[in-house]
Amino acid sequence: FNLLFVMLLSALCFTFTSCSDDDDDDKTTDYAKEITGKYKGDIYLAGGNDTPIATDAIIEVTRIADNKVKLEMNQQILVMKIDIEYDSDVEYANDKYSIKKGTTKVTIPVEGGGDMEVDVELDGSFDKDGNSTINIAVDLPDSPVSVVYKGKRQ
């Protein structure tokens, strides 16, 4: 009788145990929600000094899907007015959210009239305190321009 009792007690214990692999731990986070908002900041020449070439620049980050955002900027940078729209996946690593490096086409007005289509490459990061750093490279035919946007969520 004791042996039968011990076997039943053992079987009962194994029935109620589980391992972490069996748990439904679907904690998918939508990183796009974490960085959505309006950012205000300054633009600097990449590799340049600490004097901004544009101040009070606004970047809007809008969630368009899980872990996907649209970044929009309409700003005067040096002698060109640039209107950027860029869709990107959002990732999270090392306590920072990041938008993937990618290229978008932008039409800019040309001095003397007309427009020119150029490639603009972007990537960037956002921290949990609302600070953002966006690298923007405008591929102008004769002299590419690289700038860095540093802003704070409003």
Side-chain angles (χ1 to χ4, degrees):
F1 177 77
N2 284 341
L3 181 60
L4 180 62
F5 179 75
V6 170
M7 287 175 46
L8 286 173
L9 186 61
S10 296
L12 186 61
C13 288
F14 287 117
T15 304
F16 289 110
T17 60
S18 68
C19 65
S20 62
D21 288 345
D22 293 337
D23 295 342
D24 288 333
D25 222 4
D26 189 16
K27 294 182 182 177
T28 305
T29 302
D30 182 5
Y31 302 130
K33 288 181 182 178
E34 302 297 322
I35 65 171
T36 295
K38 181 187 270 188
Y39 293 78
K40 184 176 183 180
D42 299 330
I43 299 174
Y44 303 85
L45 282 174
N49 60 27
D50 292 335
T51 304
I53 59 171
T55 58
D56 298 328
I58 301 293
I59 288 184
E60 287 273 351
V61 179
T62 308
R63 179 188 176 277
I64 55 176
D66 285 354
N67 295 314
K68 192 167 187 83
V69 294
K70 176 183 287 295
L71 187 141
E72 296 175 274
M73 174 187 212
N74 187 334
Q75 182 65 41
Q76 183 79 25
I77 300 176
L78 297 174
V79 296
M80 64 186 147
K81 179 82 169 162
I82 191 162
D83 189 10
I84 299 171
E85 283 191 22
Y86 176 65
D87 294 353
S88 176
D89 292 331
V90 181
E91 297 176 338
Y92 181 76
N94 302 321
D95 290 331
K96 289 196 182 242
Y97 303 95
S98 61
I99 56 172
K100 287 187 173 182
K101 182 180 271 190
T103 303
T104 187
K105 296 275 187 199
V106 173
T107 302
I108 59 174
V110 177
E111 195 172 286
D115 293 327
M116 173 183 6
E117 188 173 79
V118 296
D119 288 332
V120 175
E121 185 178 82
L122 295 104
D123 71 332
S125 64
F126 302 79
D127 67 22
K128 290 185 176 187
D129 295 327
N131 299 303
S132 62
T133 301
I134 311 293
N135 302 301
I136 304 167
V138 182
D139 190 19
L140 295 174
D142 295 329
S143 58
V145 176
S146 293
V147 296
V148 178
Y149 169 88
K150 293 182 181 183
K152 178 90 173 160
R153 185 171 30 210
Q154 301 299 290

